[in-house]
Each structure stands twice: as structure tokens, then as C-alpha cells.
Amino acid sequence: MGIILLIEDNSDILENLKECFELEGYDMLVCNNGKKGVELARMFVPDLIICDVLMPLMNGYEVLRLILETSNTSRIPFIFSTSNSEKVDREAALKLGADDYIVKPFKFPPLLEMAKTLIKKGSHRSRKITHSINDLDWLLPYDPIIV
């Protein structure tokens, strides 16, 4: 069905989502930090990335920026999974190039539908990015680390 990279620093969420997606027939790559997530994305080029926003070492916005800057990963569909529920956070994430955004806590079926839809679209679409991460530096709760 496809390979999904899940980047999540909460071990309970990581394990639960991994198991749910595996039961649906997806192969999973998982890690608990953004730096490792970028490495895995570059190495395996998954069909979809689901990434937490608020993580130590490297937050999700920085992960997205690095994914978009690398030619072999720039077309991978990207979903943010976060507790940031403000409308402005969602709008900023989409402007930066994320394909979708889901607020925790969430039920699995809506995330599964997002994943199916984005994997189906795959690399046939191009990203429309209207802002750079530097334009939205207020979103960065941590100092970015460049890999």
C-alpha cells in the first residue's frame, strides 16, 4: 500500500499510530526526532510523512523545510500532527508547504483518510509554497538545527 514515515516524540502516539497503519497494510518507518526523520526520508523516500510539530532538537517546521529543500524528498506528501490548534498555526503550516494538518488528540480514521488521499495523489502534484520558513520565524519554538 505504501511506506509512511512517522516522526513523533511521544512514544505512546508513535507506537499506536505505527500499529494502526500496519494493520491497514502500510509499511512504517518511525523515529522520535526530526533529525532522524530527515535522514530516514532522504534514505528511503517514503510515500508520506506524518510529523509532529513540537519536538526537541528539530521541530516539525524545520523538518518540512529540509524535506522541501532536497530534490528527492520535495514531492513527498507531508502531514503535520500537532497539539497546536489555532487557525493561524494551520494556515502557516499549509503556506510553508505542508499538505495537511491534524490536531491532537484525533481519531485514527480521519488521519487514515488523509494518508490514503495524499498517497494516491503522490508525486503527481506540485507544491505551492507561498511563504518561506524565515517569513514565519515566530513558529519556531526551538532553535533550528541544520542537518
Side-chain angles (χ1 to χ4, degrees), residues 36-88:
K36 183 67 174 176
V38 171
E39 291 172 11
L40 289 172
R42 290 176 176 168
M43 189 179 307
F44 294 100
V45 190
D47 298 299
L48 174 69
I49 296 171
I50 301 170
C51 183
D52 188 10
V53 172
L54 302 175
M55 297 181 291
L57 300 180
M58 182 185 297
N59 68 51
Y61 298 114
E62 189 65 11
V63 170
L64 177 60
R65 184 186 67 79
L66 292 170
I67 294 298
L68 293 175
E69 287 180 354
T70 306
S71 61
N72 71 326
T73 60
S74 65
R75 291 183 164 274
I76 299 171
F78 195 101
I79 299 173
F80 275 123
S81 163
T82 182
S83 58
N84 294 342
S85 61
E86 297 295 320
K87 183 179 177 184
V88 67

Side-chain angles (χ1 to χ4, degrees), residues 84 86-95 100-102:
N84 294 342
E86 297 295 320
K87 183 179 177 184
V88 67
D89 293 317
R90 176 181 168 76
E91 290 171 353
L94 297 176
K95 286 178 182 176
D100 218 328
Y101 189 96
I102 191 164

Side-chain angles (χ1 to χ4, degrees), residues 2-144:
I3 299 171
I4 297 174
L5 170 58
L6 177 59
I7 308 167
E8 171 63 61
D9 65 335
N10 181 305
S11 60
D12 291 334
I13 294 172
L14 184 77
E15 287 303 315
N16 287 336
L17 288 177
K18 178 183 180 289
E19 183 177 324
C20 288
F21 277 111
E22 285 176 339
L23 289 171
E24 293 292 327
Y26 291 93
D27 293 318
M28 298 297 295
L29 299 168
V30 297
C31 63
N32 63 2
N33 69 73
K35 184 176 179 182
K36 183 67 174 176
V38 171
E39 291 172 11
L40 289 172
R42 290 176 176 168
M43 189 179 307
F44 294 100
V45 190
D47 298 299
L48 174 69
I49 296 171
I50 301 170
C51 183
D52 188 10
V53 172
L54 302 175
M55 297 181 291
L57 300 180
M58 182 185 297
N59 68 51
Y61 298 114
E62 189 65 11
V63 170
L64 177 60
R65 184 186 67 79
L66 292 170
I67 294 298
L68 293 175
E69 287 180 354
T70 306
S71 61
N72 71 326
T73 60
S74 65
R75 291 183 164 274
I76 299 171
F78 195 101
I79 299 173
F80 275 123
S81 163
T82 182
S83 58
N84 294 342
S85 61
E86 297 295 320
K87 183 179 177 184
V88 67
D89 293 317
R90 176 181 168 76
E91 290 171 353
L94 297 176
K95 286 178 182 176
L96 289 172
D99 295 283
D100 218 328
Y101 189 96
I102 191 164
V103 177
K104 298 175 190 172
F106 55 80
K107 298 207 182 283
F108 180 67
L111 180 59
L112 178 61
E113 286 308 309
M114 283 181 197
K116 285 180 180 179
T117 299
L118 290 173
I119 289 172
K120 192 174 190 178
K121 287 181 182 179
S123 63
H124 300 292
R125 91 250 186 283
S126 61
R127 292 184 188 271
K128 181 180 180 194
I129 302 166
T130 58
H131 286 63
S132 77
I133 197 144
N134 294 330
D135 297 332
L136 302 170
D137 61 354
W138 57 272
L139 291 171
L140 299 171
Y142 305 103
D143 291 329

